[in-house]
């Protein structure tokens, strides 16, 4: 059974601050690591799907790195804005495709 | 284009009642997943369909839960004799590519409250 952990559970930052979150996952039988952003009352939005060790992906002010050998991924947000406030979820994919999610990091950005 | 839709958005029911939750995936997506998120936790896998058949139903908590996808498109999650512990947000996702590298597109969820 996979166990995906995220830290911190919640984060409160000021507008303009840069921040990062951690996702740890079992490194054995790794297939893919997904990051989602989930705003209240909306659908979870896919940010990244990462598969290769050392992979780095970027989308605007958000970027992510992946270390499959040690089983962790970092998500970075540069210059946080109030619209970045959301819950950020990571999930490890099994061979069959189901996602095993962490409990999420709730980000609140104050103007 | 249209995304994944789920109905109803909110459902309040009484303990012991039967409920059905509907998912309309993105047109052409052959893979469909159900997850549920309980308060304070991440989404938890329930069942995965590839076409009309359930390829993996290992996440269904007990035999009160059942899901169908008779024509390979719309799916219905059915919960019999609901319990207060069934209260959660039920999420549906669909995907075009084969697992395990497929991006899953989520609907907004159905918030189920069992009184």
């Amino acid at each position: 059974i996979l166990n995906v952990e995220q830290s911190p559970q919640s984060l409160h930052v000021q507008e303009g601050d840069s921040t990062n979150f951690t996702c740890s996952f079992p490194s054995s039988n790794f297939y893919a690591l997904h990051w989602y952003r989930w705003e209240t009352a909306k659908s979870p939005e896919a940010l990244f799907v990462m598969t290769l060790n050392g992979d780095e992906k970027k989308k605007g002010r958000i970027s992510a790195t992946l270390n499959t050998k040690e089983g962790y991924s970092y998500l970075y947000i540069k210059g946080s804005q109030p619209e970045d406030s959301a819950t950020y979820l990571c999930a490890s994919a099994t061979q069959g495709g189901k996602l095993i999610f962490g409990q999420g990091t709730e980000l609140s950005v104050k103007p | 284009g249209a995304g994944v839709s789920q109905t109803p958005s909110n459902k309040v029911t009484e303990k012991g009642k039967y409920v059905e939750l509907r998912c309309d995936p993105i047109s052409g997506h052959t893979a469909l997943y159900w997850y549920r998120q309980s308060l304070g936790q991440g989404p938890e896998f329930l069942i995965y369909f590839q076409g009309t058949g359930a390829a993996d139903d290992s996440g269904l908590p007990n035999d009160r839960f059942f899901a169908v996808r008779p024509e390979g498109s719309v799916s219905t999650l059915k919960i019999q004799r609901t319990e207060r512990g069934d209260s959660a947000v039920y999420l549906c996702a669909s995907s075009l590519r084969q697992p395990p590298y497929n991006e899953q597109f989520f609907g907004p969820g159905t918030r189920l409250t069992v009184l």
Side-chain angles (χ1 to χ4, degrees), chain A residues 36-39 41-45, chain B residues 3-7 9 22-26 32-35 89-94 104-110:
Chain A
Y36 286 87
R37 175 170 65 195
W38 194 3
E39 296 180 63
K42 294 187 178 180
S43 304
E45 173 197 356
Chain B
V4 177
S5 62
Q6 292 186 246
T7 54
S9 55
R22 177 186 168 109
C23 172
D24 279 89
I26 294 172
L32 186 145
Y33 302 81
W34 283 98
Y35 297 86
V89 176
Y90 288 79
L91 291 165
C92 174
S94 70
Q104 297 183 21
F105 297 84
F106 281 83
T110 293

Side-chain angles (χ1 to χ4, degrees), chain A residues 31 36 38 43 46 94 97-99, chain B residues 35 37 100-101 103-104 107-108:
Chain A
Y31 292 95
Y36 286 87
W38 194 3
S43 304
T94 66
K98 69 184 180 187
L99 299 180
Chain B
Y35 297 86
Q37 189 201 29
Y101 309 111
E103 181 177 356
Q104 297 183 21

Side-chain angles (χ1 to χ4, degrees), chain B residues 15 36 38 61 64-65 82-88 90 112 114:
Chain B
K15 181 172 178 278
R36 74 172 176 181
S38 302
R64 296 187 297 106
F65 288 74
T82 51
E83 299 177 357
R84 292 195 180 88
D86 299 334
S87 297
Y90 288 79
L112 175 66
V114 182

Side-chain angles (χ1 to χ4, degrees), chain A residues 10-23:
Chain A
S10 64
L11 197 53
H12 299 267
V13 301
Q14 290 294 130
E15 182 175 356
D17 289 349
S18 292
T19 186
N20 65 84
F21 326 132
T22 304
C23 172

Side-chain angles (χ1 to χ4, degrees), chain B residues 33-115:
Chain B
Y33 302 81
W34 283 98
Y35 297 86
R36 74 172 176 181
Q37 189 201 29
S38 302
L39 197 63
Q41 299 179 25
E44 175 188 30
F45 170 79
L46 296 176
I47 187 169
Y48 155 50
F49 287 91
Q50 186 62 245
T52 60
D56 183 352
D57 64 357
S58 62
L60 295 177
N62 51 58
D63 61 6
R64 296 187 297 106
F65 288 74
F66 189 70
V68 295
R69 195 185 185 200
E71 298 178 359
S73 178
V74 170
S75 177
T76 305
L77 179 66
K78 308 180 181 193
I79 311 174
Q80 297 178 320
R81 305 183 303 280
T82 51
E83 299 177 357
R84 292 195 180 88
D86 299 334
S87 297
V89 176
Y90 288 79
L91 291 165
C92 174
S94 70
S95 180
L96 179 61
R97 293 175 58 197
Q98 293 292 317
Y101 309 111
N102 51 325
E103 181 177 356
Q104 297 183 21
F105 297 84
F106 281 83
T110 293
R111 181 175 296 278
L112 175 66
T113 303
V114 182
L115 301 177

